[in-house]
Each structure stands twice: as structure tokens, then as C-alpha cells.
Amino acid sequence: MHVHALASATNRTLPHTVRPVPATTAAAQPIDRILTALATGDEGLTESEYAGRARLFGPNAIQAHRARIGPVILRQLRSPLLLLLAVTALVSFFLGERSDAVVIGVIVAMSVGLGTVNEFRAEQAAAALHERIRHRVVVTRAGQARSVDLAELVPGDIVQLRPGELVPADLRLLSVTGLQCDESVLTGESEPVVKSTDPVAAGSPVSELACCALMGTVVAAGTGRGVVTATGGDTEFGRIAVGLARREPETEFQAGLRRFSMLLVRVAAVLTIGIFAVNLVLHRPLLDALMFSLAIAVGISPQLLPAVVSTSLAAGSRILAQRKVLVKRLVCIEDLGDIEVLFTDKTGTLTEGRIEFMRAVAADLDAGDDVIELGMACTDGVIQNGQLAGGDALDTALWAAPPAPREGAERHTRLATLPFDHRRRMVSVLVDAPGTGGTIITKGAPEAVLACCENVPDAATRALGAEFAAGHRVVAVATRPAPGRTSLTAADETGLRLAGFLVFLDPPKASAREAISRLATLGVAVKVITGDHPTVAARVCEQLGLPAGDTLSGTELDRLTDAELAGKLATTTVFARIDPEQKARIVRAQRSLGVDVAFLGDGVNDALALHAADVGISVDAATDVAKDAADVVLLEKDLQVLADGVTQGRRVFANTMKYVLMGTSSNFGNMFSAAGASAFLPFLPMLPSQILLNNLLYDSSQLAIPTDTVDEEQLARPARWDIGLIRRFMLVFGPISSVFDFATFGIMLWIFHAGEALFHTAWFVESLATQTLVLFVIRTRRTPFFRSHPSVALLTAALAAVGIGALLPVTPLAATLGFQPLPGAFFVALLVMIVAYLALAETAKHWFFRTPPAVPAARDRRPDHRLRRRAARFTIGTRPAEGTSAQPAQAFGP
């Protein structure tokens, strides 16, 4: 039920009439009026108020993903051809053709059941993924801050916003501190919007609502606090997303499937009408002609294509989970396979991530004990009882070093702190140390600190260059007296005297070299985005064998236009001294070239880039903000694990293409054969029930395709849908299939002088055998069986289908199905035809693929691609959020 409809029915039970307030309305009103309208205040809702509103408004979601058997069955039945065939069978039952009608009904039911079981299992796998993922948000209720599931938000909740987070609902801002939001998903503008709390003019467009934070946008910088004015489908984002589609966002992979299906539907429509017309001209019974034509149409339709794809994805998700890769949605597996460029951080991915303090170097190159003490005192972490809490990785390594003078660091009483930020790349503290009075200590990136220093010795500069060249991480420490000061600002970070350098080691990861090489064989270019010094990053890349390329610093990047940046991407491997907004800008620039981009990061400062990438990848040990922004979570921070994910994504595509090419080669050929046979035979080439049974056995064997092995060359690069190639494949291999169908017709009519039942039986067995066994030719571009082996499951399923088809004519069901036993000599002829068919198909395959198909250089993305993908974040699974009723969310998916 829609939120407004439900609200009208239950408002009288509330002390206040609370309704969602559109963002355009809330933005034009002062804060106190909005709080009054939503019956809330600075301390948020009480538990009882929240419970009432949770029942009223339902979960904060714009799409639902529940594994329900009913919708799955309806999707199986929504084929017009299938429904028309069922109706025709029902009519024939009442007209006296009861045995045929019952057989057709049973086969149709089995076909629907087979598709339903497989698709429902995939739905359950997808629902299980949703249950494993929880998006959290910090709210204030009854004056207490708490972390709750995003789906639990209701109008009137007070929400806190932090950098890198998705805005979880439409909010009227109550307070902001440097808050900026990336609203490109709604407005298309890439520049972050500066937020305030001042009302805007009534009637302002969505792009000018500066005092509101809108659902689905990203906090680019700063913090804020706001009151929820609307949730789910009542938000600006929700209304657009629900209007686009009522199902999971369609990926390029799914769009390709749809275009392929439409190709077959158009071909089926033309041939079916032709076959029906031929049968009418030959004065065959209208009902028989109609059922035969419909059965042929059903035979060419890729009925089990969704089931094959879903089964592939579900199996892929299980395999990836075993290999420590958690995908949040099944379609993320397809996205992984499409990756062409991977941007990754350095620490913990290319390096061991175990930062060790090596030594201190004083400015005069003497021993640096004083430098260590100053460096330990200069931190934005908490020093208590000789221990450091809340420091970054470098601070932690420094405090953990054996010679660390903890007592000396504690003697520096901290009076004020200027925390580290990615623009300044420094942290400063004002301390009161015994015998020195007030002193400012600054620590940070050497080039940033040295720019604030006076009279830096040349020897210190040379020593710094040597440390960088060795691949060491270096932090500079500087001081200046500040007697009588009690506060600290960025303006105080001037006139410093260099105390020295702290040198750290983060050795390259042993497995990274092999992983980079493996990704290169998969056609994935690895590029490094880091906050470290360019020389250090370049040295690590050199040690790992990462292809040499240009290095671009954050300062240089700021001087480039977007077009100039895009032009440099082809030759740049390392991006150093990069801040969070620059990371996202680099990712967007790479995506603008039409290639698929992944970003791997684990910190709050990576969230913007994770949102901007086609595939955001984080790790299990990452910050909550980074994991929430990611599409894929690695349970182990290792590029080898990521390479497994890329490989699995490409396996899904490759195996799906096997089914697609099978459908084009055999189904089109059968249609063509049926059309030709109808023109000269005095009877139907095959009974409708036999066609459907043939299709059922064939499709059942194809459900094992997701288990099949894939040749290495098919995994070596991303794949793209190419409908032109599929069409050409159909026009080459379809007629080859028909040649052997017509050979069967000739053998049965002129050698065995077959009657109607024997003819039907022979074509049934030959058609099933050839179209099933040709899979072993089409599944690989190598020589089958000798240089490429199918999976045991696929081999077993295919041989079982052919065996069942050959044995049916001698079973008690033969008479009911219209079969009769075949002479032994026919099987000799059949074996010869199968061998000849497979040999001809193999020859044609090598000719067809003599030049590997070109992969399109760029992907054609739909304008709404980003919005659809973002909408998947606001999804509820099979279990209602705690504290809410089971009211359905706005329907956005099955």
C-alpha cells in the first residue's frame, strides 16, 4: 500500500497528523515550522512515537527483494505463446482430441515447473545476499544517538550525516559544518553542492534546495544533522526511481539478453505465421495447424534463458563466497566480469599493510630521539596511561616501536589540536612542555610541512629524497614556540623549524606481483591512487612489476580540466597525494571514456570514489562507511581474491553465451526445417506434443551449462553483447542444422518408406540428438574434447537427454506420445549423420571465428544507469526491519 493511502487510514490514531513533507516544500519553511509539522524536536522521537510511525509508514525502501513463489510462476506463465498454447490445448480437449491435449498440458506444466524451480532457487540466493547486508545510519531518539538499519527511518527522525555516506532519506537540515553533497545522481551536476540551513524561495527546483539533503545523494565533505521529511517512495529520489522501473536495475548484460530474446521473437513471428499459412493452404485442420505453429514458436523461444542466467549467477555467488568474495546483488557478478580498469589504494593491497617504524632522522642528520618524542606528542589520537587510542596507522606504528619514549611524549600537555585533513595533509598540536612553554608541533606530508618551514638545510632535503627513492614512507616534524597561546588555527602553521623526519617501512605484499600479472592477463589495467608521495608509490609499483607509466600528483591534477585529465589517463599509472574528492574525479574521468571502472578502498576517504565507480570494492575490515558504499566486499584484502571475482563474472557471461548460440543454431534450424517440411509433406512434420517434449528434454539438458568449464582465452578480456554477431551465427549454423533435418526426411521417406508415426519418431530422435550434441562444438572455440573438456554435469545431462529421446519410442508411453519403434538401420544412419553434422559444425565454427570478434571499445550507457544502480541500495529483504511492520515497500522488484 502506498504511504499516503495508508496514512489516511490511520492518522486518527496519532496525537498529531503527521504526513511526509516533500523536500521542495520543506526547503521553503523555517526549521521550527518543519519540526512542528513532523511532531518532533532536537531530541528526536520517543520509542512509542517511532513504533507508531513505523507501523504507519512502513520501511524506508523503494524496492523490495523477497523470494516469493507466486511472482516467479507468473513470470513463467506470462509468455503469450505459452498461454495461447494452453488455451488451444484446452479447446482441443473439449473437441475430442483429449489424449493430445492432456499430453500437451502435462509437458507445458513440466516446462513451467522446471523454470519455476530454477528461478525460485536463484531468487532465494539473491534474497539471502540481501539478508547479509545491512546499511546503517546514526539517528537520535529520546535524546540518545544510536545506529539503526536504514530501513527503520521514519519521518520525524533526527539523522546525522558523515563524509562518504549516502543520504538515507529526504532531510531538512538543522545544522551543518562544511557540509557538501554530491547530487549528480539527481541533477547530473558533478560539482558538490554547499549546504546551509537557511530556507530557499518557494517553488525552487530540486537542484537549488541548499537547505535539504536528498535521498540517494552522497555526503562529499563536512557533517550535518537533519530531520527526515520523507522516506522511501515519497522522496525525490524514490519517485524518480519507482517511475523508471518496478524491478531490479537492468544491467547491460540483462539488456543484451532482452535484445537477443526480441531477435528470436521477431524471427519466430515471421516463421510461425508462414508455417500456419502453408498448413492452411494445404487444407489441414485449423486446430492442428494452429497448435503445430504455436508449438514451433514455443520451441524457438528461449524459455529457460532467464533460468540459465539466474542459475549461473546463483552458482557464481556461492563460488565467490567460498573464495572470500561477497557480492551484495547477483548482478554484481556480471559487473565484476566487465572490469577493465581497477583503481586501488596502496597500503594493505599492494603492500603488507603492517607499517613499521624504522628510524628518525634529525634535520641536522644526527640521531633523532627528540624527533620521535615530538612525533609521538603530535597526534589527534588520545594519549592516556602511556597508550595511544584513535591514532592513524603511522601513529600506531610509532607508539608501538621499542625505543618509543612514551614518558617524554606524555610530558607534553596538549592544549589544542588541529586535526589532520586531506587538504593540508598535516596535523598540529599546541602543547605545554616543561621548560619550553607553549610550542606548536606540526607533523605531516614532508612537502606540506617543508612549505611551512624556514631555513631547511640542504642536507635534510637530500636525505628526504634518498628515503623516498628507497620506497620508504616519511613524515616530517616541525615546531615553533608559541608562548601564551591557548588556541590553534591553520594560520599558525607558518614560520616552523624543521625538527626532522620519521621513516616508516610498509614492504610490498608477496602475493601482489602475481595478482597484478593475473589481472593483466584478464585485461584489467591496475592503477594506484594513494595519499603517499609520488616517488614512494612509483617505487612500490616498480618492485611489484606494475607496468611503468606516468605519475600525476594531486597538485598537478587540480590544474587540469576534466577533458585534459581524461586525456592523461591512458598513460598514467600512479596518482599520488590525492584527496577524497580527487579520487572520485579520477574515477568519473575514467568512466567518461566508456570503460568499466572498479575502485578498491577501505577508508572513509574512499567512499566518494566507491560510489562513483561502476563497481565499488571494499574489504571486511574496512570502515562501515566504505563497506556501505561498496558493491562487493572482499573478506580478505588481496588482489588474488579480486581476480577470482573477475574470472567468475566472465564465466557467467561465457556460459550464458553458450546457451544463446545453441538457441540460434538449433532452434532457428528446426523452425526452418519445419517450414520446409510443411510445404511438401501430406502430414505435420511433428506433432505439437512431440515438439514441446523435444524442447523440454533439450532445455533440461541445458540447465547444466552453468557448471561448465570455460577456456582461458574466453576469460582473457571483458565481453560485450553483440547482436550482430549472434544474428550472423544464426544465419550460418541454422541452415547447417536444417541440412541434416532434410537428410533425415529423405532417409525416412525414400529408404524406410516411413508413415506418419515413424516419420515423427525419427525426426524427434534426430532433432534432439543433433541440437543437444552440437553444444560440445559450440561451447568452445578449441577442438572439443581434445583441447577443451566439458564439465561432468554437462556431459551427463546432454547424454541423458539424448538417451531418453532414443528410448521413448520403445516405452509404454510411445503410443500415447505418437511414437513407434525405429528400425535398427536408422540408428546406423543417425550415427553417421551426427558425426557428419558435428564435423561440419566444427569446420564452420573455425571459419566463423577465424578472426576473434572485436570487443567494442566503449560501453553505451543509458542516462538512468547510475540512478537505477543507486536505487538498489534502498532495498529490503525477506525480513522486515526490526521495529517495523511487514507493510510492503513501494514495489520496485519481484
Side-chain angles (χ1 to χ4, degrees), residues 247-577:
R247 61 176 57 194
E248 284 280 321
E250 184 181 61
T251 64
E252 299 297 328
F253 181 86
Q254 292 166 323
L257 288 178
R258 177 172 46 78
R259 291 194 297 271
F260 164 70
S261 298
M262 289 307 300
L263 170 66
L264 284 190
V265 166
R266 287 193 293 270
V267 172
V270 172
L271 290 180
T272 301
I273 292 172
I275 292 171
F276 183 61
V278 167
N279 279 275
L280 288 183
V281 169
L282 295 176
H283 305 292
R284 289 183 183 142
L286 176 63
L287 187 61
D288 288 349
L290 177 61
M291 291 187 68
F292 177 73
S293 300
L294 289 175
I296 286 289
V298 170
I300 196 174
S301 300
Q303 288 173 270
L304 286 189
L305 183 56
V308 168
V309 174
S310 298
T311 303
S312 293
L313 293 176
S317 71
R318 290 191 294 270
I319 292 172
L320 287 179
Q322 294 168 0
R323 298 181 181 178
K324 301 182 180 180
V325 180
L326 172 63
V327 294
K328 292 186 177 181
R329 296 178 294 135
L330 287 180
V331 293
C332 293
I333 298 174
E334 304 158 10
D335 296 334
L336 275 173
D338 287 333
I339 292 174
E340 296 163 278
V341 177
L342 169 66
F343 290 105
T344 178
D345 58 358
K346 179 174 66 68
T347 303
T349 306
L350 303 181
T351 64
E352 292 291 347
R354 298 192 306 271
I355 299 176
E356 301 172 4
F357 174 67
M358 296 177 64
R359 59 179 170 271
V361 179
D364 57 6
L365 305 187
D366 287 340
D369 291 344
D370 290 343
V371 180
I372 298 176
E373 184 175 314
L374 292 170
M376 294 177 68
C378 184
T379 177
D380 47 13
V382 177
I383 302 173
Q384 190 172 13
N385 299 325
Q387 299 294 325
L388 174 70
D392 63 16
L394 294 174
D395 280 343
T396 302
L398 182 60
W399 276 78
R406 293 181 175 81
E407 296 79 8
E410 285 191 295
R411 286 199 301 268
H412 293 78
T413 304
R414 199 185 322 179
L415 305 177
T417 303
L418 194 60
F420 179 90
D421 68 57
H422 291 89
R423 287 290 183 185
R424 293 168 34 255
R425 300 201 303 278
M426 298 185 294
V427 56
S428 292
V429 295
L430 174 63
V431 298
D432 182 13
T436 63
T439 301
I440 294 174
I441 309 173
T442 298
K443 181 176 72 177
E447 60 271 30
V449 174
L450 292 182
C452 301
C453 289
E454 298 176 345
N455 304 319
V456 177
D458 290 340
T461 303
R462 289 193 297 271
L464 176 63
E467 297 291 356
F468 280 151
H472 299 152
R473 298 186 67 172
V474 183
V475 173
V477 181
T479 65
R480 80 173 175 87
R485 294 294 302 272
T486 58
S487 62
L488 193 59
T489 68
D492 297 317
E493 295 174 326
T494 57
L496 302 174
R497 182 183 63 84
L498 179 66
F501 304 111
L502 301 172
V503 183
F504 298 85
L505 175 65
D506 186 9
K509 183 178 288 188
S511 63
R513 174 183 284 272
E514 182 182 349
I516 290 172
S517 175
R518 184 179 169 197
L519 286 168
T521 64
L522 293 171
V524 179
V526 178
K527 301 188 178 187
V528 179
I529 298 182
T530 178
D532 213 338
H533 191 275
T535 305
V536 175
R539 174 60 177 160
V540 170
C541 292
E542 178 186 340
Q543 291 173 320
L544 293 175
L546 193 63
D550 296 337
T551 299
L552 191 67
S553 70
T555 303
E556 294 168 331
L557 188 148
D558 281 338
R559 293 196 290 264
L560 300 176
T561 66
D562 288 345
E564 290 171 336
L565 173 58
K568 285 184 171 293
L569 290 173
T571 58
T572 305
T573 301
V574 176
F575 301 84
R577 295 301 195 212

Side-chain angles (χ1 to χ4, degrees), residues 41-347:
D42 282 344
E43 294 192 349
L45 304 174
T46 65
E47 286 302 320
S48 60
E49 288 172 334
Y50 162 69
R53 296 186 193 199
R55 289 189 296 271
L56 172 66
F57 296 109
N60 173 37
I62 57 176
Q63 63 186 39
H65 196 112
R66 295 184 175 90
R68 293 177 294 179
I69 192 69
V72 174
I73 295 175
L74 290 177
R75 284 197 295 276
Q76 294 294 321
L77 292 174
R78 69 184 177 190
S79 166
L81 291 173
L82 202 61
L83 291 175
L84 188 55
L85 187 66
V87 170
T88 307
L90 189 64
V91 171
S92 67
F93 179 83
F94 288 106
L95 292 179
E97 303 289 339
R98 296 189 175 183
S99 60
D100 285 349
V102 169
V103 170
I104 291 173
V106 170
I107 294 172
V108 169
M110 291 175 64
S111 179
V112 170
L114 188 63
T116 298
V117 168
N118 282 278
E119 187 172 345
F120 183 64
R121 288 178 60 190
E123 287 282 307
Q124 289 178 313
L129 288 179
H130 282 286
E131 286 302 311
R132 295 178 67 176
I133 304 299
R134 285 285 177 261
H135 299 285
R136 311 294 293 182
V137 62
V138 177
V139 303
T140 300
R141 288 188 185 146
Q144 299 294 319
R146 64 186 67 182
S147 175
V148 302
D149 194 289
L150 177 148
E152 295 183 41
L153 289 184
V154 296
D157 265 329
I158 306 298
V159 174
Q160 298 178 21
L161 298 176
R162 298 176 296 178
E165 291 182 333
L166 276 182
V167 178
D170 279 359
L171 309 178
R172 174 62 166 89
L173 294 171
L174 306 178
S175 63
V176 297
T177 303
L179 182 65
Q180 298 180 37
C181 292
D182 176 354
E183 298 182 347
S184 57
V185 72
L186 288 177
T187 66
E189 296 294 330
S190 59
E191 288 297 317
V193 177
V194 177
K195 295 296 182 178
S196 70
T197 58
D198 299 328
V200 301
S204 296
V206 171
S207 59
E208 297 179 7
L209 304 183
C211 62
C212 288
L214 303 176
M215 178 192 234
T217 62
V218 183
V219 180
T223 58
R225 192 164 172 267
V227 59
V228 176
T229 61
T231 58
D234 289 314
T235 63
E236 296 296 324
F237 178 86
R239 278 193 285 270
I240 297 172
V242 171
L244 281 173
R246 294 185 176 273
R247 61 176 57 194
E248 284 280 321
E250 184 181 61
T251 64
E252 299 297 328
F253 181 86
Q254 292 166 323
L257 288 178
R258 177 172 46 78
R259 291 194 297 271
F260 164 70
S261 298
M262 289 307 300
L263 170 66
L264 284 190
V265 166
R266 287 193 293 270
V267 172
V270 172
L271 290 180
T272 301
I273 292 172
I275 292 171
F276 183 61
V278 167
N279 279 275
L280 288 183
V281 169
L282 295 176
H283 305 292
R284 289 183 183 142
L286 176 63
L287 187 61
D288 288 349
L290 177 61
M291 291 187 68
F292 177 73
S293 300
L294 289 175
I296 286 289
V298 170
I300 196 174
S301 300
Q303 288 173 270
L304 286 189
L305 183 56
V308 168
V309 174
S310 298
T311 303
S312 293
L313 293 176
S317 71
R318 290 191 294 270
I319 292 172
L320 287 179
Q322 294 168 0
R323 298 181 181 178
K324 301 182 180 180
V325 180
L326 172 63
V327 294
K328 292 186 177 181
R329 296 178 294 135
L330 287 180
V331 293
C332 293
I333 298 174
E334 304 158 10
D335 296 334
L336 275 173
D338 287 333
I339 292 174
E340 296 163 278
V341 177
L342 169 66
F343 290 105
T344 178
D345 58 358
K346 179 174 66 68
T347 303

